[in-house]
Amino acid sequence: MTMRTIPEGMRPYERLERCGAEALSDAELLAILIKSGTRERSALAIAEELLLKHGSLADVGTAELSELKSCAGIGRVKSIRLHAAAELGRRIAFGRCRNKIKITDYEYLGDMLISEIGRLRQEVFQALFFDKKWNYISACRISAGTVDRTLVHPREVFYNAIKNLASAVVLAHNHPSGDCRPSRADYDTTERLVKAGRLVGIDVADHMIVGNGKYYSMYREGDLIKIKEKTLNEGFEDYGT
């Protein structure tokens, strides 16, 4: 079935004009972004296959470009268009509130990070920067790794923190496995960054690990306090060697 075989009043474009975007299904909204189908299938049919293959609209939104292109009828341009639309949605959802975020808004930060990186297939490491009154300034993606590993150097974190005139930083990364419990490597990375932050006068206020719909806060769980106490009288190693 192609879009031309669908009655005009039932096509996604016409329904959006007549009823508003909120009246459309996930598949219909995706079909508008996909724009055109193939000779055999409509954009709506391709959208329905995407949802079936990935499980939900949220999963489509976090799919890699290569995963989107594996669906028949989705090529380079359409996959990029879908990827860009998903990112715009995330920025709109949180952009209006970001100027009001405090470093102590743990649940909000956790939800924001779950939305941004919680469903990614590879591990990424981010830093969120805050001023001396604990108001949010900005965020920066520090690195991206493989399925289960990313490399983080203190230089990259604190160069960006200093550039943003930050007084504190919240570290964040995802576990593609969905299990947000910290690994030994996570604790080692946190310890390294706490030491580096102390040298430049920038506090590591938390390290949040997110999985699929969950997050773990090292501050709230008491881990970060223990790390800071442990490292208080220790020297700083050159971890770049």
Side-chain angles (χ1 to χ4, degrees):
M1 177 183 289
T2 63
M3 198 65 76
R4 291 181 180 179
T5 63
I6 300 174
E8 186 172 337
M10 297 301 294
R11 296 173 189 171
Y13 282 90
E14 286 74 12
R15 274 183 31 79
L16 189 147
E17 287 182 319
R18 188 175 70 254
C19 305
E22 64 276 6
L24 272 63
S25 67
D26 291 347
E28 288 174 313
L29 291 171
L30 282 174
I32 290 174
L33 291 172
I34 292 169
K35 194 174 180 179
S36 61
T38 65
R39 289 184 178 181
E40 295 79 21
R41 297 194 305 164
S42 67
L44 185 58
I46 294 171
E48 289 170 344
E49 182 182 332
L50 271 176
L51 289 169
L52 183 63
K53 180 177 181 179
H54 292 281
S56 70
L57 185 61
D59 289 319
V60 172
T62 56
E64 299 294 333
L65 291 174
S66 58
E67 293 175 315
L68 294 172
K69 287 189 287 187
S70 68
C71 179
I74 301 292
R76 174 176 174 270
V77 172
K78 290 177 181 177
S79 65
I80 290 173
R81 190 184 298 135
L82 290 168
H83 216 57
E87 180 59 26
L88 281 172
R90 281 189 286 270
R91 294 186 187 188
I92 291 169
F94 294 105
R96 295 171 182 169
C97 301
R98 282 192 168 190
N99 291 336
K100 301 177 182 178
I101 299 174
K102 292 279 190 180
I103 208 168
T104 50
D105 294 334
Y106 303 108
E107 291 188 7
Y108 185 88
L109 288 173
D111 289 342
M112 181 180 76
L113 290 166
I114 287 169
S115 175
E116 290 186 350
I117 63 174
R119 294 174 179 267
L120 296 180
R121 270 67 168 182
Q122 67 172 358
E123 189 169 308
V124 299
F125 194 98
Q126 293 191 173
L128 288 73
F129 305 119
F130 295 81
D131 65 20
K132 61 183 179 181
K133 294 184 178 180
W134 288 7
N135 296 308
Y136 174 84
I137 301 172
S138 66
C140 177
R141 181 165 295 186
I142 304 299
S143 65
T146 59
V147 172
D148 59 359
R149 184 168 178 263
T150 186
L151 300 175
V152 182
H153 195 287
R155 177 179 58 245
E156 303 301 327
V157 174
F158 293 104
Y159 166 78
N160 285 284
I162 292 168
K163 186 170 68 172
N164 281 277
L165 303 178
S167 294
V169 59
V170 170
L171 311 171
H173 77 281
N174 65 312
H175 281 176
S177 66
D179 183 356
C180 58
R181 290 174 297 180
S183 65
R184 181 67 258 169
D186 294 336
Y187 286 121
D188 291 343
T189 296
T190 306
E191 181 176 329
R192 180 191 317 163
L193 293 171
V194 165
K195 289 180 179 180
R198 190 174 289 132
L199 282 178
V200 295
I202 297 175
D203 182 46
V204 174
D206 202 351
H207 187 168
M208 304 184 81
I209 304 166
V210 300
N212 189 2
K214 301 172 290 184
Y215 72 90
Y216 184 100
S217 163
M218 285 195 183
Y219 174 79
R220 295 187 77 176
E221 298 297 330
D223 301 338
L224 188 60
I225 301 298
K226 294 176 183 177
I227 289 172
K228 288 182 175 181
E229 290 175 350
K230 175 179 180 292
T231 60
L232 191 59
N233 297 315
E234 294 181 0
F236 178 73
E237 301 175 37
D238 183 1
Y239 286 91
T241 60

